[in-house]
């Protein structure tokens, strides 16, 4: 991507970042973590954090926000998702934690849990099904997150995502789609979703033949295909997907 939409700097021992495309703090944080630029959350690091002070929103760099989120107590956990390699073996697990964030873990050679993905290949979600779809010429849907991918799966679509958030998709992810006839991108109704679609113009070029985009501007801020389904029902969601617009690749 030739347009500088994200700036990262170190100041006073803190890593500060700012997205000029208007992306949320959470989506940028997860993207940086997915590229190994931020540490994964662990129970040990969580316990070391002092209670959060009131975050100040000054120049938009998110230093105060980062402290507040890192020190937030986990109140409950959501679904756990498995990421498989091309042999169908589970490579790592990802679980939502509330009120914010995710836990990511794998098992090391000694069988102990490892709370990061450092040094391992990171497959896209549902990779074995994606590979089958590539061979058969079936459409592959890219959702923004596992929840939405699961929603599309329940409707009979082949769906995938990346583990590292809206802006975490990279060329290694795209390479796993190489040879796909058509990919359908589901764009969340927020700046990060629109920025993600814009980046797909170059990220998917040379890997897939055709890309379509489905938007959900008639849902709430941050609305997605799951929200649309709950609001309007399955028939209208299928119709919306049929109306997807073609994305011109770079």
């Amino acid at each position: 991507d030739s347009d500088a939409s994200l700036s990262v700097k170190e100041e006073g021992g803190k890593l500060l970042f700012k997205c000029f495309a208007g992306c949320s703090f959470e989506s940028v944080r997860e993207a940086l973590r997915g590229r190994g630029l931020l540490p994964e959350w662990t129970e040990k690091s969580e316990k070391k954090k002092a209670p959060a002070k009131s975050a100040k929103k000054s120049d938009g760099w998110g230093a105060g926000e980062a402290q507040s989120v890192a020190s937030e107590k986990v109140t409950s956990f959501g679904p756990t998702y498995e990421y498989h390699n091309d042999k169908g073996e589970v490579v790592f697990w990802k679980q939502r934690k509330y009120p914010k964030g995710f836990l990511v873990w794998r098992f090391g050679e000694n069988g102990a849990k490892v709370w990061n993905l450092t040094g391992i290949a990171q497959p896209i979600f549902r990779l074995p099904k994606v590979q089958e779809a590539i061979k058969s010429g079936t459409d592959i849907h890219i959702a923004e997150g596992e929840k939405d991918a699961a929603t599309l799966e329940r409707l009979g679509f082949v769906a995938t995502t990346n583990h590292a958030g809206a802006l975490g998709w990279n060329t290694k992810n795209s390479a796993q789609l190489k040879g796909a006839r058509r990919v359908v991108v589901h764009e969340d109704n927020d700046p990060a979703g629109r920025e993600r679609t814009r980046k797909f113009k170059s990220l998917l070029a040379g890997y897939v033949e055709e890309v379509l985009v489905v938007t959900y501007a008639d849902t709430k801020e941050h609305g997605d295909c799951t929200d649309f389904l709950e609001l309007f029902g399955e028939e209208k969601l299928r119709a919306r997907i049929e109306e997807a617009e073609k994305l011109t690749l770079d």
Side-chain angles (χ1 to χ4, degrees):
D1 183 9
S2 59
D3 298 326
S5 56
L6 177 66
S7 180
V8 181
K9 67 180 182 181
E10 190 274 335
E11 185 176 293
K14 295 180 180 179
L15 185 65
L16 307 179
F17 50 86
K18 182 174 183 178
C19 180
F20 296 94
C23 307
S24 69
F25 165 75
E26 288 80 8
S27 63
V28 176
R29 180 193 60 189
E30 294 303 319
L32 291 174
R33 280 182 175 171
R35 295 172 186 270
L37 299 177
L38 285 178
E40 302 287 351
W41 181 93
T42 67
E43 290 186 46
K44 186 176 180 181
S45 62
E46 188 85 355
K47 290 178 181 177
K48 289 183 178 180
K49 295 292 181 179
K53 298 180 181 179
S54 298
K56 294 182 179 180
K57 293 184 178 180
S58 53
D59 59 358
W61 280 91
E65 287 184 277
Q67 180 184 13
S68 175
V69 172
S71 59
E72 211 166 82
K73 290 184 178 180
V74 179
T75 59
S76 61
F77 294 94
T80 298
Y81 302 99
E82 296 179 345
Y83 276 73
H84 302 80
N85 60 21
D86 55 4
K87 299 177 181 178
E89 302 165 335
V90 181
V91 177
F92 64 90
W93 290 258
K94 177 179 178 181
Q95 183 178 29
R96 173 170 285 282
K97 63 185 180 76
Y98 297 105
K100 292 181 180 179
F102 291 91
L103 299 176
V104 179
W105 74 88
R106 58 189 171 91
F107 288 100
E109 294 181 359
N110 60 357
K113 269 189 178 181
V114 179
W115 296 94
N116 63 64
L117 304 181
T118 304
I120 67 168
Q122 299 175 20
I124 57 177
F125 193 53
R126 299 288 194 257
L127 178 59
K129 291 185 178 180
V130 167
Q131 292 176 322
E132 292 176 4
I134 293 173
K135 291 178 182 178
S136 64
T138 303
D139 289 356
I140 299 168
H141 294 249
I142 301 180
E144 189 178 315
E146 297 84 2
K147 178 196 71 175
D148 292 338
T151 293
L152 294 168
E153 276 191 329
R154 287 194 294 272
L155 298 180
F157 298 107
V158 175
T160 187
T161 189
N162 60 301
H163 90 278
L167 301 180
W169 190 279
N170 55 46
T171 53
K172 290 183 178 179
N173 299 142
S174 296
Q176 296 173 67
L177 296 174
K178 188 172 180 60
R181 183 180 65 87
R182 184 162 60 192
V183 164
V184 182
V185 172
H186 292 258
E187 179 183 293
D188 280 13
N189 186 31
D190 54 33
R194 291 182 281 276
E195 174 71 2
R196 176 173 172 265
T197 296
R198 187 182 70 81
K199 289 179 177 294
F200 273 138
K201 291 183 178 182
S202 59
L203 286 171
L204 294 177
Y207 294 102
V208 304
E209 294 182 24
E210 183 180 20
V211 179
L212 304 179
V213 179
V214 183
T215 59
Y216 300 100
D218 44 358
T219 63
K220 63 184 180 181
E221 179 75 6
H222 309 301
D224 49 38
C225 63
T226 302
D227 296 315
F228 187 93
L229 177 64
E230 293 174 353
L231 283 171
F232 303 110
E234 179 179 338
E235 184 178 345
K236 288 193 175 181
L237 177 56
R238 291 185 181 277
R240 176 60 59 88
I241 293 172
E242 287 294 323
E243 297 167 356
E245 297 185 357
K246 185 173 182 178
L247 182 69
T248 301
L249 301 179
D250 293 343

